[in-house]
Structure formats: C-alpha cells, structure tokens
Amino acid sequence: MLSAASRPYIDASVPVLREHGLAITRHFYASMFDAHPELRNLFNMGNQASGAQQQSLASAVFAYAANIDNAAALRPVLERIVHKHVSVGIMPSHYPIVGRHLLRAIQDVLGDAATPDLIAAWDEAYWLLAGELIAAEARLSERTHAPLGSLRELVVADVDRETEHIVSYYLRTPEGGSPGEFAPGQYVSVSVTLPGGLEQRRQYSLSDAPGAPHWRITVKREDAADAKPAGQVSNWLHANLKAGDRILVSPPYGEFTTTLNATRPLVLLSAGVGITPMMSMVAALAAKGSRREILFAHAARDGSHFALRRHLVHATTQLPHLRVATFLETPTGAERVGTGDTFAGRMDISRLTLPADADYLLCGPLPFMQTQWRALRDAGVPAERLHREVFGPDALDHLL
C-alpha cells in the first residue's frame, strides 16, 4: 500500500501526467534504448516507430495514478500485462533499468516541478507496481512450467492463405504431434531474427480448438499506412515462412477466454483479424457439443477480407444455438454465413438482437473496441460482463 506521505504527490500527478505523459514516455524510451540497446530485442520497434507504444505507456502511467486505490479496476489490466511480459521475456533484472530511466524522464521533462518529494513518491509507487508484477510473473511461470520468456522449436506443417493479407500457419512438434493444450482465446509469441540481426517477438492468437492436432496462428500482413510503418514480423512471416520450416514459439498465454462449461449466453464481437481468438472459442465449443446461446458478430471490409469464414460456416453446422451477423463496409451479397444476417456498413449493435444476461468478448482494432465498448455500456451492459483482447498497445481508456 502506498504510504500516506507519498499519496498526495501521486494524486497531484494525475493532471500533470495528462499534460506531459507523452513527452515523459518518449524521453524515457529514447534514453533507455540509448543506454541499453539490447532491450530493443524485447520491445516492439514497430510500435516505437509509430509512437503507439509511447502513447500506451503514457496512458498506463496516468491510469495507474488515477486508480492507485482501485484494485478492482487495475487487476484485469495488470493480469494482461503479466501474461504479455512473460510471453516476451521480461525478467526481474529489467525492472531496475525501467524504473531508473522512467524516474529520470519525469525529472528531465518536469524540471523544477519534479521535486525530491515527488520523485520519491513515484519511486515508491513504481516499486510497489514492479514488485506486484515480478511476483505475478513468477507465479505464472510456475503454473505453466515454463521459464520466463522460454521458446521452443515447432515445425510449419501447412500454410493456408485465408485472404490477400491473412495467412494461417499450422504448427506441430518436430515429431509431428500437437504442441499441447491451451485455453481457447490464448496467444503465443513467435520469435524471428530480422535482417540486420534485430530479434523481435510478436503475439498471435491461436485460432483453432485446443484439441486439434496442431496449433494454428492466423497472421495479417501489416502494410505501411499513413504514419504507421509496415509490420516487420508479419511481413517477414508472409515472405519467408513456408511448410517444412521451423520457428521459435512460446507457450500459450493470455487471460482472454471463455469457460467452456458456462451456460450464460455469449456474445463475440470482432473486426478484421480480431476474429482469430473468437474462432478458437467457437471451435472449442463446437468440439464440446455446447448448446450455449452464442451471437457471433464480425466486421470486415468486404467478403474478400473475411478471414476464417469457411471455418465459421462449419461451426454453424455443429452449434445449434450459434447466430452469426456480418457487417461489411462494401458487401456483395455472397458473404452470408449460414442463415446469418449480413449488414452494410460498420458494426452497429443497435441492429442486433442482444441476448439477455450475456457475457461479451471484443477483439479488433482499438477504435473498433472503443466504439463497441461505449455502445454496450450505453445499452446497459455492466462493465464486469465486458472483456476485450488488445492486439498491440492498449490505451486503457476504459480506466480513465
């Protein structure tokens, strides 16, 4: 618990961080990478180049300060961070480095306003958070029986092009078997060495049922757009990874999942490649013979960008209470999934018949999830029934 002496300084920091948080995080990353260039292998340098990571950290620091006494709000966010840290190989030895450069960035950006008492308060708050994360990451490592950041070699058994920009890779052990169990909706980290020697890990949701004889990841090639650079790892995978190749993959991680034995109605809202964890859940429920009421609503640019569509069609033949609704910005009329509805335009939940007392899972681009989150809350859905998976940095807007 934060000390009484430090609390006023943290509380007073909220408006300061709102104004200067992005400048602080930019300065933090620049100074840390300058002093420790080896850490570039641990961080997504594409997100660094676009500024997304700096914005995410600024949002996280502000959310932490604003919710420091609200354990219920912080708990799911910290759990997501713990899984991500373990999957990318964050070690306890990294925390002193991060703390030192973050505090120095606060000092440098705030100048005289960063009094010794303020810095002492943030030093205390940082190590309270760091200690909680280090302990939780150790517990997760113990539960999964895998060292922090561990990888193993898997073989690409098959490659299946889903759309022009999305490819599925089927992974097996070198002996030809399944790599093991996972919870539907979890992800794995894939590690590649890029030209020039930079090592990078990216997280991809497992998109098939846990009982399948393989792991399937479904990867969208991220092209350059506006100020956003092309995805280094996704482009490398699309250009280089083929059947028979070997690749380094982490154990499964992530807390975005559903209980297969649950009876409460389930609503899955996805957009683009955000369909991947949803398909894992649907495939797992189909394999179990679930009779749960499920509404599967998916948004895509058009039918040619509808990844895993045939797998969803197959699931409708196995799940008697699965309803599908598709939102297409430019529909052609040929994209209907089973007897499901197809709507023109972006997803609008007011056009759906939502089941009562349901659990809601959201996955897709951040603006999509922000829009659906707000719409569901406005429709009266309790926040505790809303869960989301974030591909890339999370703005944590739901905490602010």
Side-chain angles (χ1 to χ4, degrees), residues 24-36:
I24 291 169
T25 56
R26 284 174 173 165
H27 186 69
F28 156 72
Y29 279 118
S31 65
M32 184 176 69
F33 288 143
D34 184 58
H36 297 275

Side-chain angles (χ1 to χ4, degrees), residues 153-221:
E153 195 174 65
L154 296 180
V155 176
V156 180
D158 196 11
V159 178
D160 189 7
R161 180 163 293 280
E162 302 284 350
T163 72
E164 179 185 357
H165 296 91
I166 299 177
V167 171
S168 287
Y169 300 95
Y170 291 76
L171 309 177
R172 296 187 182 231
T173 66
E175 296 75 30
S178 167
E181 286 295 313
F182 59 92
Q186 288 191 307
Y187 59 81
V188 293
S189 281
V190 172
S191 177
V192 303
T193 301
L194 300 170
L198 179 67
E199 297 177 20
Q200 291 280 272
R201 295 191 190 193
R202 295 293 185 273
Q203 290 69 51
Y204 299 108
S205 294
L206 294 158
S207 61
D208 208 345
H214 52 254
W215 284 355
R216 183 177 69 201
I217 58 172
T218 303
V219 180
K220 178 186 177 185
R221 187 186 74 232

Side-chain angles (χ1 to χ4, degrees), residues 35-244:
H36 297 275
E38 74 280 2
L39 294 183
R40 294 175 183 271
N41 292 321
L42 282 178
F43 287 82
N44 184 323
M45 299 312 294
N47 288 335
Q48 290 290 324
S50 69
Q53 189 65 60
Q54 294 91 326
Q55 183 64 60
S56 174
L57 180 60
S59 174
V61 171
F62 174 54
Y64 176 61
N67 292 275
I68 198 163
D69 290 323
N70 189 351
L74 289 174
R75 190 176 300 112
V77 177
L78 296 183
E79 183 68 15
R80 187 159 63 239
I81 292 171
V82 165
H83 280 260
K84 182 72 173 289
H85 280 186
V86 174
S87 76
V88 301
I90 299 294
M91 301 292 178
S93 59
H94 294 134
Y95 282 91
I97 298 172
V98 170
R100 182 168 62 253
H101 286 278
L102 182 59
L103 292 176
R104 177 60 60 85
I106 293 173
Q107 287 179 308
D108 290 348
V109 172
L110 298 187
D112 292 340
T115 64
D117 288 338
L118 178 69
I119 295 302
W122 266 104
D123 183 60
E124 179 185 342
Y126 172 80
W127 279 108
L128 282 174
L129 176 61
E132 186 173 347
L133 291 174
I134 290 169
E137 288 155 16
R139 292 193 296 269
L140 178 58
S141 176
E142 184 176 354
R143 289 200 306 271
T144 56
H145 307 290
L148 296 173
S150 62
L151 299 166
R152 62 169 165 162
E153 195 174 65
L154 296 180
V155 176
V156 180
D158 196 11
V159 178
D160 189 7
R161 180 163 293 280
E162 302 284 350
T163 72
E164 179 185 357
H165 296 91
I166 299 177
V167 171
S168 287
Y169 300 95
Y170 291 76
L171 309 177
R172 296 187 182 231
T173 66
E175 296 75 30
S178 167
E181 286 295 313
F182 59 92
Q186 288 191 307
Y187 59 81
V188 293
S189 281
V190 172
S191 177
V192 303
T193 301
L194 300 170
L198 179 67
E199 297 177 20
Q200 291 280 272
R201 295 191 190 193
R202 295 293 185 273
Q203 290 69 51
Y204 299 108
S205 294
L206 294 158
S207 61
D208 208 345
H214 52 254
W215 284 355
R216 183 177 69 201
I217 58 172
T218 303
V219 180
K220 178 186 177 185
R221 187 186 74 232
E222 298 289 349
D223 296 331
D226 300 325
K228 181 181 177 182
Q232 294 173 297
V233 175
S234 64
N235 276 270
W236 187 94
L237 292 173
H238 275 237
N240 295 283
L241 198 61
K242 59 187 183 301

